Amino acid sequence: MIATYIQELLATNNRVIVPNFGAFLVRATSKSKDANTLEEKLKDIYFSPFLKFNDELLEKYIIKKEDVSKEQAAGKIKEFIDLVKKELDQEKPFEIKNFGHFEADKQGKVQFLTVAKEKKEEK
């Protein structure tokens, strides 16, 4: 569910931080940064493992969507991160349907490839 919320937020925001994990960002130089749909932004989205502070955007969105407490929302985010890390630790990509996947390189650096980038690499 967290993956869905990230996608929904990216449709209307150019930055979604997953606290203590990283951030999905739309390239500031892209023409699609002013778009209002995820599909229009997909090719210009990248993941930064360095931007990890909690700006509360994702947390507040979960609170609103699920009518849960701040602590419960934070717990749901942590569960999502743990799930992603578990797959990556097993050297498996973590797929997010119709969006992309996380993978870890040989040094353990987490990367995210959107479906737009995956299709480009297949060519």
Side-chain angles (χ1 to χ4, degrees):
M1 207 66 207
I2 301 302
T4 301
Y5 297 154
I6 291 167
Q7 293 173 71
E8 290 172 2
L9 284 167
L10 276 170
T12 55
N13 295 272
N14 288 329
R15 178 185 71 205
V16 176
I17 298 171
V18 180
N20 302 312
F21 188 63
F24 291 92
L25 303 155
V26 178
R27 294 188 196 291
T29 56
S30 77
K31 291 180 178 138
S32 64
K33 72 180 183 319
D34 296 322
N36 286 318
T37 67
L38 182 60
E39 291 75 26
E40 292 175 283
K41 293 181 178 184
L42 262 182
K43 67 182 180 311
D44 295 312
I45 292 173
Y46 68 100
F47 181 78
S48 170
F50 305 109
L51 191 54
K52 299 179 180 189
F53 71 93
N54 188 1
D55 66 354
E56 297 184 358
L57 177 70
L58 181 57
E59 214 169 67
K60 286 179 179 178
Y61 194 73
I62 295 167
I63 291 167
K64 182 177 136 191
K65 292 288 269 190
E66 298 189 15
D67 193 27
V68 295
S69 70
K70 182 177 175 67
E71 293 76 23
Q72 289 170 312
K76 288 175 181 285
I77 293 169
K78 184 182 179 319
E79 285 174 19
F80 172 75
I81 294 166
D82 290 345
L83 191 60
V84 173
K85 286 181 176 179
K86 181 181 174 189
E87 290 292 306
L88 296 179
D89 286 347
Q90 295 174 8
E91 298 182 1
K92 297 178 187 172
F94 182 86
E95 301 283 338
I96 300 175
K97 189 176 180 183
N98 299 323
F99 187 45
H101 72 272
F102 284 102
E103 61 184 27
D105 65 15
K106 290 182 179 14
Q107 290 80 35
K109 181 182 170 200
V110 176
Q111 300 176 13
F112 185 80
L113 295 173
T114 67
V115 289
K117 290 178 187 154
E118 290 170 354
K119 288 176 185 168
K120 189 177 181 180
E121 286 183 1
E122 287 174 6
K123 292 181 180 177

